[in-house]
Amino acid sequence: MNLEDLYRLLRNGHVEAQGIVDTVPDPLLVLDQNLYVRTASRAFFTTFKVTRDETIGQHLYELGNQQWDIPELRRLLEEVIPKSTAVVDYEVEHDFPSIGRRTMLVSAHRLFHPDSISRSLLLSIVDATERRQHEAEKDVLLGELRHRMKNLLGLVQAIARQTTAAGHSGEEYRDAFLGRFNALVQAHDAAYSQVGEADLQEVLQRTLEPYSPTGVLVEPGPTVSLTSGQIMSLSLILHELATNGIKYGALSTPTGQIRVHWEVEEASAPSLRLVWQESGGPPVAPPVSSGFGTQLIEFAVSRELGGRVELNYAPAGLVVEIVAPLGSVS
């Protein structure tokens, strides 16, 4: 084998090795013992918006705008790695100048050498930002589910207590209770399975009827067409308010009443102003802290309806005012 053949063999080996590195879908760095970059994957350049010339031969902490000079990563490479052969999925959260705040899972392995003398590191990086966001959203949804189930069971208890038993047979009480319970089930089913548009008045009456047929007054108002997403969000809010009304507010007493009315405000774009007003219930005092129900209402109004909500804990009764933009109004 002459020098030309040897060079060709080495070059082909290098190209093949780089091809393997570039095939890895996640960002990858090969560092020498002093943390200088020996090679990097194509995914690294793409993800962090840097070029090969800006990366190869540079110290890790000097890459980009020193975006990898992260205290957590320094500790990993300078304290943890020397004491072990590998670290897997070490979480690093950082603001990267070119791509914003990201949650990275960094894994570091010493490159294998048959004589165990290698001091080079293989640094693989997985962008787990969306995964972490999905996990956080899932936690919120599970918390909401637990909250909704707790409220739903409380509602069933309230319906059982409010269904009059005196002077009625067990069969009559059962029919009365099941009638209200079935109405509640239908309202929940309609709230979470609505497809297409529906009128606001219809949504309000259908959603609030099971809670108290006589204690909730839905006043006539202008025709407002709601999308399925708006229907679900509004139904969630109404269920939350009605549940609180049964447990603590106007619907917890025989004389209590809730008035719901709305108007359409015409400005640069039409918006809905919906008012929930309680009266005749026990004296109202502002809560010491914001519970999950209040947070749920505020989240649904701001994030899902794109509006704002004001909760006024007036002594005479809770007043809730919701203002949200509308798509189509007639």
Side-chain angles (χ1 to χ4, degrees):
M1 180 181 294
N2 56 35
L3 288 177
E4 185 178 345
D5 292 334
L6 180 60
Y7 170 77
R8 187 182 299 110
L9 181 63
L10 292 174
R11 185 180 183 280
N12 289 341
H14 172 77
V15 170
E16 184 176 4
Q18 185 62 46
I20 293 172
V21 170
D22 285 336
T23 303
V24 176
D26 295 316
L28 195 69
L29 289 175
V30 178
L31 307 175
D32 66 16
Q33 60 182 343
N34 296 315
L35 303 183
Y36 281 85
V37 180
R38 293 176 55 186
T39 189
S41 68
R42 194 171 44 172
F44 181 87
F45 303 132
T46 303
T47 301
F48 298 104
K49 304 185 187 308
V50 293
T51 66
R52 181 176 294 275
D53 291 339
E54 293 172 325
T55 306
I56 306 302
Q58 302 297 316
H59 195 281
L60 176 65
Y61 301 151
E62 298 296 326
L63 294 181
N65 297 317
Q66 299 182 334
Q67 60 187 14
W68 288 100
D69 190 4
I70 308 169
E72 293 176 66
L73 188 59
R74 275 184 174 268
R75 177 179 173 273
L76 171 67
L77 297 175
E78 297 172 10
E79 298 180 23
V80 178
I81 284 293
K83 300 176 182 177
S84 61
T85 57
V87 171
V88 179
D89 288 348
Y90 187 90
E91 187 170 310
V92 175
E93 191 170 2
H94 185 64
D95 281 309
F96 293 91
S98 56
I99 60 175
R101 190 160 191 82
R102 289 288 189 272
T103 301
M104 300 292 180
L105 300 181
V106 178
S107 297
H109 299 262
R110 290 196 181 279
L111 285 186
F112 172 78
H113 191 283
D115 297 328
S116 300
I117 60 173
S118 173
R119 295 189 179 182
S120 297
L121 289 178
L122 185 65
L123 205 66
S124 61
I125 304 153
V126 176
D127 188 346
T129 307
E130 291 188 5
R131 185 195 309 174
R132 290 291 184 263
Q133 290 174 346
H134 290 159
E135 290 173 353
E137 291 171 1
K138 183 173 67 175
D139 289 342
V140 171
L141 290 174
L142 288 174
E144 178 183 328
L145 179 61
R146 287 193 294 268
H147 179 75
R148 298 304 305 162
M149 288 300 298
K150 180 180 178 182
N151 275 351
L152 185 59
L153 293 173
L155 250 164
V156 173
Q157 290 178 334
I159 289 175
R161 287 195 299 268
Q162 291 182 358
T163 302
T164 304
H168 295 84
S169 66
E171 184 174 323
E172 290 172 331
Y173 174 85
R174 180 201 64 192
D175 291 342
F177 169 77
L178 288 179
R180 298 189 69 191
F181 180 76
N182 288 333
L184 177 64
V185 171
Q186 292 171 10
H188 272 75
D189 183 61
Y192 296 106
S193 61
Q194 176 72 37
V195 177
E197 297 186 349
D199 181 67
L200 174 61
Q201 177 111 20
E202 175 191 347
V203 171
L204 289 170
Q205 291 177 334
R206 182 183 62 202
T207 304
L208 295 174
E209 181 181 7
Y211 295 96
S212 179
T214 58
V216 180
L217 174 62
V218 178
E219 299 181 353
T223 299
V224 175
S225 182
L226 300 177
T227 65
S228 58
Q230 291 172 324
I231 293 168
M232 183 176 296
S233 300
L234 185 59
S235 297
L236 176 67
I237 294 166
L238 293 171
H239 282 309
E240 191 62 39
L241 291 172
T243 299
N244 290 337
I246 283 181
K247 292 165 67 176
Y248 315 112
L251 298 183
S252 66
T253 62
T255 57
Q257 189 174 62
I258 295 172
R259 290 176 57 245
V260 182
H261 56 94
W262 71 94
E263 60 183 1
V264 174
E265 298 180 337
E266 296 286 353
S268 57
S271 61
L272 169 69
R273 181 182 296 274
L274 178 72
V275 179
W276 171 285
Q277 187 171 8
E278 300 188 17
S279 61
V284 175
V288 177
S289 60
S290 178
F292 188 81
T294 301
Q295 296 173 17
L296 197 61
I297 292 171
E298 293 173 344
F299 177 85
V301 173
S302 63
R303 294 287 296 275
E304 299 180 23
L305 295 180
R308 66 182 189 277
V309 60
E310 294 183 8
L311 289 87
N312 179 13
Y313 295 93
L318 173 68
V319 179
V320 180
E321 187 173 288
I322 297 170
V323 179
L326 286 174
S328 56
V329 182
S330 58

